[in-house]
Amino acid sequence: MEKFRSDCPISCSLDVFGDKWSLLIIRDIMLRDKVSYSEFLGSEEKIASNILVNRLTVLEAEKILVKEVSPANKSKFVYSLTQKGLDLLPIVIEIMDWGAKYNENCPRKEIGKKIKKDKAAVIKELSQSLKSKIR
C-alpha cells in the first residue's frame, strides 16, 4: 500500500495529480485535443520522455486516463479521460483563471477571456463536449 503524506483531502488530491506535469497532460487532453504520447511530447513545456511515461502510467493507474489502441494506427496508443478525469475540469479552469489573474506573463487567450466573462458556462460547455469522449 502506498504511503500518503496525510489524510487531508488536499494532500490526498496532490498525491495523485499535484506534480509539475500531470495537470498539464490533463490540460492537453481537455483543452487542446491531444491524445497521443507524441502530441504530449510536443507541448510547449517540453516534458522529458521518461517523465511523460511515468505520469501517463500514474494517471492511468489512478483511473484518470485510459489508454487504448488507436483506431487510426494499431501500433499507437491514445489516451482519453475517464469520468474521474473529467471531474477535474472545474479545477483546471480555476487554476487557469487564477494564473491569468495574478501573473502578467500569462495573458488571457480566447478560452481565458471566456472564463473571465462566464466561468460556469465555459465549464458546462467543455464538460458536455468532453463527456462524449470519456471512457
Side-chain angles (χ1 to χ4, degrees):
M1 189 164 98
E2 197 172 330
K3 187 176 189 296
F4 295 99
R5 289 179 283 226
S6 77
D7 63 357
C8 167
I10 293 173
S11 182
C12 291
S13 297
L14 291 174
D15 286 336
V16 175
F17 59 77
D19 63 272
K20 185 175 178 178
W21 298 104
S22 293
L23 283 177
L24 293 174
I25 294 166
I26 293 165
R27 172 211 61 194
D28 281 352
I29 294 173
M30 284 181 173
L31 305 175
R32 298 182 176 182
D33 294 322
K34 294 183 181 187
V35 296
S36 70
Y37 177 86
S38 60
E39 289 174 328
F40 301 136
L41 271 182
S43 293
E44 71 255 25
E45 292 86 8
K46 305 292 183 212
I47 187 170
S49 59
N50 61 321
I51 294 172
L52 177 57
V53 168
N54 175 270
R55 296 314 184 274
L56 289 170
T57 301
V58 169
L59 292 169
E60 187 181 6
E62 290 290 340
K63 299 183 179 7
I64 291 171
L65 303 181
V66 64
K67 177 173 127 177
E68 299 174 308
V69 174
S70 169
N73 181 345
K74 301 294 183 201
S75 66
K76 286 183 135 181
F77 292 102
V78 292
Y79 295 85
S80 57
L81 294 169
T82 62
Q83 183 62 51
K84 185 177 178 180
L86 178 59
D87 287 346
L88 290 169
L89 178 64
I91 295 167
V92 170
I93 296 298
E94 287 295 341
I95 291 170
M96 286 178 62
D97 192 36
W98 186 89
K101 183 176 180 179
Y102 292 109
N103 190 327
E104 61 190 35
N105 297 317
C106 297
R108 291 183 188 271
K109 296 181 181 164
E110 183 181 343
I111 191 167
K113 290 175 183 170
K114 289 180 183 179
I115 290 167
K116 186 175 182 182
K117 184 177 178 186
D118 190 348
K119 190 183 299 179
V122 171
I123 292 171
K124 183 178 179 182
E125 178 185 325
L126 285 170
S127 181
Q128 289 173 342
S129 171
L130 290 167
K131 274 186 182 175
S132 66
K133 299 175 186 177
I134 65 170
R135 297 280 182 254

